[in-house]
């Protein structure tokens, strides 16, 4: 998110907040270790909405290296830990 805001300051609303088209990333939630799953479930919808908004931006943003890396599949994605 920070890399995109630095790369696209106009679209990130740095000069004029009304011009911002890059979506806001849902904020972090502090939690105790026993609540990891609950927090993940609560964040699922806002993060899904963020991802959908991100890929609907103009191609020069939605297909930039930072976005492509964000959505790149990692080995853990294909074989997630059992816990």
């Amino acid at each position: 998110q920070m890399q995109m805001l630095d790369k696209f300051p106009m679209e990130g609303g740095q000069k004029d907040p009304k011009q911002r088209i890059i979506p806001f990333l849902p904020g972090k939630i502090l939690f105790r270790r026993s609540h990891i799953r609950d927090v993940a479930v609560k964040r699922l919808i806002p993060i899904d909405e963020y991802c959908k908004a991100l890929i609907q931006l103009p191609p020069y943003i939605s297909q930039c290296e930072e976005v492509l890396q964000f959505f790149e599949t990692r080995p853990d994605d294909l074989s997630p830990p059992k816990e």
Side-chain angles (χ1 to χ4, degrees):
Q1 178 75 4
M2 294 307 299
Q3 291 174 348
M4 284 189 356
L5 294 175
D6 288 342
K7 189 172 185 173
F8 306 108
M10 182 79 70
E11 295 82 348
Q14 289 183 13
K15 297 184 189 220
D16 182 359
K18 294 176 187 172
Q19 298 293 319
R20 183 177 180 134
I21 62 171
I22 295 176
F24 288 94
L25 183 64
K28 291 182 178 180
I29 299 175
L30 299 177
F31 56 88
R32 292 189 302 269
R33 193 162 177 79
S34 62
H35 294 123
I36 292 173
R37 182 168 173 73
D38 294 339
V39 170
V41 169
K42 286 179 186 175
R43 293 195 67 190
L44 189 59
I45 292 174
I47 291 176
D48 181 59
E49 291 171 354
Y50 171 81
C51 291
K52 287 177 181 175
L54 192 60
I55 61 173
Q56 290 177 353
L57 292 174
Y60 72 95
I61 298 175
S62 64
Q63 296 175 24
C64 74
E65 188 62 29
E66 291 80 5
V67 174
L68 296 177
Q69 285 179 357
F70 178 74
F71 286 108
E72 188 173 286
T73 304
R74 298 181 181 164
D76 285 349
D77 296 333
L78 301 175
S79 300
K82 300 287 184 217
E83 295 180 16

